[in-house]
Amino acid sequence: MQDVIGDSFVVWEPYHKDIHLCDRFSVEQWNQIAGDIKSDVEWAEFVGRYVNSVQCWVLKNRATNLPIAFVYLFNEEGYWEKVSIHGGGWESPLMYYRGYILMLQHLLESGVKVRTYCNKSNRAAIRFDRSVGFVPYRYSEKKVFMWITAKRLKSSKLYKHFYR
């Protein structure tokens, strides 16, 4: 994957341990994102330990160069052929929608199959993912599993809003 992914408004940069993520969320929100990890030190260790399985990206506002969201990709199989994407934002929802769409477009156009999953109780994440084109394909007792294609992404109202 390349070093940065962006447009004239936002840019995704690889995560580094000096960027604090955990304390930008409430404990409840963070538990929905990565419940097994309790601190930024643990997060940095996790990302550093699993470099072949996890990639973490931080979204920055180009105008201010301030971080506004993050995602992490979990390599589900093969050589980054299928990933699950997770993350969250803490400022300027329209900007992180834009960034999320950019990341998804980059992955899908690179031939990567993109999935996600979250707790059924995490209505905000389900609504967020569905609004950019994810569709459920499986439910377990506690989780909903979703997938997306480039066609579904590009037909979403949000994609059309940002990229007419």
Side-chain angles (χ1 to χ4, degrees):
M1 202 175 278
Q2 62 196 53
D3 289 338
V4 296
I5 301 163
D7 63 16
S8 58
F9 296 98
V10 293
V11 61
W12 287 104
E13 296 177 355
Y15 162 83
H16 57 81
K17 66 180 182 176
D18 296 330
I19 298 175
H20 294 274
L21 300 174
C22 296
D23 60 359
R24 296 180 187 273
F25 299 92
S26 70
V27 171
E28 181 181 329
Q29 290 170 321
W30 182 258
N31 284 336
Q32 294 281 9
I33 297 167
D36 295 346
I37 295 169
K38 304 299 181 206
S39 71
D40 284 303
V41 171
E42 286 183 27
W43 182 258
E45 289 172 358
F46 169 71
V47 172
R49 185 179 314 123
Y50 296 105
V51 293
N52 294 325
S53 301
V54 175
Q55 287 185 358
C56 184
W57 294 80
V58 175
L59 183 67
K60 291 185 174 181
N61 179 325
R62 279 219 195 251
T64 64
N65 200 38
L66 294 174
I68 58 174
F70 86 106
V71 296
Y72 68 99
L73 308 172
F74 179 73
N75 184 16
E76 289 189 3
E77 61 183 51
Y79 298 97
W80 293 92
E81 296 166 355
K82 186 190 299 183
V83 300
S84 60
I85 189 169
H86 308 277
W90 51 86
E91 191 175 308
S92 188
L94 280 178
M95 295 293 258
Y96 57 81
Y97 265 116
R98 185 180 191 100
Y100 195 49
I101 288 168
L102 274 173
M103 178 61 76
L104 291 170
Q105 183 174 357
H106 171 77
L107 292 167
L108 293 165
E109 289 179 353
S110 298
V112 177
K113 292 180 181 175
V114 182
R115 310 281 189 259
T116 193
Y117 60 87
C118 62
N119 291 327
K120 286 180 182 177
S121 62
N122 192 346
R123 297 203 183 281
I126 293 168
R127 196 170 40 253
F128 184 83
D129 285 324
R130 298 225 32 190
S131 71
V132 297
F134 276 92
V135 292
Y137 68 91
R138 185 173 57 129
Y139 294 89
S140 72
E141 187 177 318
K142 294 183 179 182
K143 297 198 181 295
V144 55
F145 297 81
M146 296 180 275
W147 62 275
I148 192 169
T149 63
K151 183 178 179 180
R152 290 198 59 80
L153 175 67
K154 290 180 179 179
S155 66
S156 73
K157 288 180 183 178
L158 281 166
Y159 183 92
K160 291 174 182 175
H161 171 75
F162 292 124
Y163 304 102
R164 296 173 199 199

